[in-house]
């Protein structure tokens, strides 16, 4: 007994070549219960709203993150300002990103390390973020670091209380850019990579990819020679 092909919508026996719809990108329409997924457009990167380089006459904070030598490769370094900041969770959103283990990465001479600082929206987290940004502004993060911005991850569901929201605004003023990540319940269960992530998260990933690629290309002498 000949069994029909389960991947063909109709068991009419006609050859696949007789179905022009099955060629090219439309083949997914013939899978049971499947349809082509739209390709997400790259998110435009917003211009910097804060300092993009260390500033003169900024004193080093008393509590500073270590600067740690590394030869690891990463398109983006995620620097947790404190324990439980969400450093590992954020780094897992892209396979080429790396958690910096609560330290500034120091790469071989001439190499650039695109970095983003991540902190929770608790008072403790925001104060730790302020210390990390102050350290960077005081040129204490090392020569390799190119700071892209600050990611503030919600420490609880719901809106921030006004005092914490005001503190977050003040702290964020010391970073080139600030991204706000809402409470994501699957992350609490240890499942950072989900099929559907909130819009702010997908926007964050797209913008960080673009910013990191631009930072790396700008620091590459061969890239600059080709451009000229």
């Amino acid at each position: 007994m000949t069994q029909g092909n389960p991947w063909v919508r109709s068991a009419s026996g006609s050859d696949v070549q007789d179905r022009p719809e099955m060629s090219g990108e439309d083949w997914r329409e013939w899978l049971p219960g499947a349809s082509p997924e739209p390709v997400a457009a790259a998110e435009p990167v917003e211009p910097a709203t804060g300092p993009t380089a260390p500033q003169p006459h900024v004193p080093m904070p008393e509590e500073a993150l270590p600067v740690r030598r590394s030869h690891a490769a990463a398109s983006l370094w995620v620097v947790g300002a404190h324990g439980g900041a969400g450093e590992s969770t954020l780094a897992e959103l892209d396979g080429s990103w790396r958690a910096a283990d609560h330290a500034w990465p120091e790469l071989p001479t001439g190499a650039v390390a695109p970095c983003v600082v991540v902190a929770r929206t608790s008072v403790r987290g925001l104060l730790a973020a302020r210390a990390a940004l102050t350290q960077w502004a005081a040129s204490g993060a090392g020569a390799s670091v190119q700071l892209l911005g600050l990611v503030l991850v919600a420490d609880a569901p719901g809106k921030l209380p006004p005092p914490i929201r005001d503190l977050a605004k003040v702290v964020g003023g010391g970073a080139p850019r600030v991204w706000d990540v809402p409470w994501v319940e699957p992350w609490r269960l240890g499942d950072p990579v989900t099929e559907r992530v909130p819009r702010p998260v997908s926007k964050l990933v797209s913008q960080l990819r673009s910013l990191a690629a631009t930072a790396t290309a700008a620091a590459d002498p061969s890239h600059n020679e080709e451009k000229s």
Side-chain angles (χ1 to χ4, degrees):
M1 178 177 178
T2 303
Q3 189 173 4
N5 188 341
W7 299 106
V8 177
R9 182 180 298 173
S10 173
S12 61
S14 59
D15 190 78
V16 168
Q17 295 178 352
D18 294 333
R19 299 179 181 271
E21 302 92 339
M22 294 189 66
S23 61
E25 297 180 354
D26 292 334
W27 64 270
R28 286 182 292 267
E29 295 180 356
W30 295 90
L31 297 180
S35 60
E37 295 182 1
V39 178
E43 292 285 346
V45 177
E46 299 176 2
T49 57
T52 57
Q55 308 295 305
H57 312 302
V58 176
M60 278 283 290
E62 294 183 3
E63 296 184 4
L65 296 175
V67 177
R68 189 169 298 147
R69 185 100 176 147
S70 177
H71 293 276
S75 64
L76 176 71
W77 293 83
V78 182
V79 181
H82 58 91
E87 178 185 86
S88 299
T89 299
L90 186 60
E92 289 179 12
L93 293 175
D94 187 290
S96 66
W97 298 356
R98 181 179 291 272
D101 195 20
H102 310 294
W104 298 104
E106 182 181 5
L107 304 185
T109 305
V112 64
C115 292
V116 64
V117 172
V118 60
R120 292 283 179 176
T121 54
S122 61
V123 171
R124 173 177 174 268
L126 292 172
L127 293 179
R130 183 180 65 178
L133 294 175
T134 303
Q135 179 184 0
W136 165 75
S139 300
S144 300
V145 169
Q146 181 161 345
L147 184 64
L148 305 182
L150 170 67
V151 178
L152 295 178
V153 182
D155 67 317
K159 295 182 179 181
L160 290 176
I164 295 182
R165 185 177 65 242
D166 294 343
L167 177 59
K169 187 175 181 179
V170 172
V171 171
R177 298 170 183 82
V178 180
W179 293 272
D180 294 305
V181 175
W183 179 264
V184 182
E185 187 64 26
W187 290 1
R188 190 181 189 188
L189 304 175
D191 182 21
V193 182
T194 58
E195 293 183 2
R196 297 182 182 276
V197 293
R199 168 73 173 164
V201 177
S202 61
K203 180 179 180 180
L204 166 68
V205 172
S206 176
Q207 292 196 1
L208 285 180
R209 285 172 177 167
S210 179
L211 286 168
T214 300
T216 303
D220 186 356
S222 63
H223 176 82
N224 295 332
E225 289 175 4
E226 291 176 3
K227 210 172 175 184
S228 58

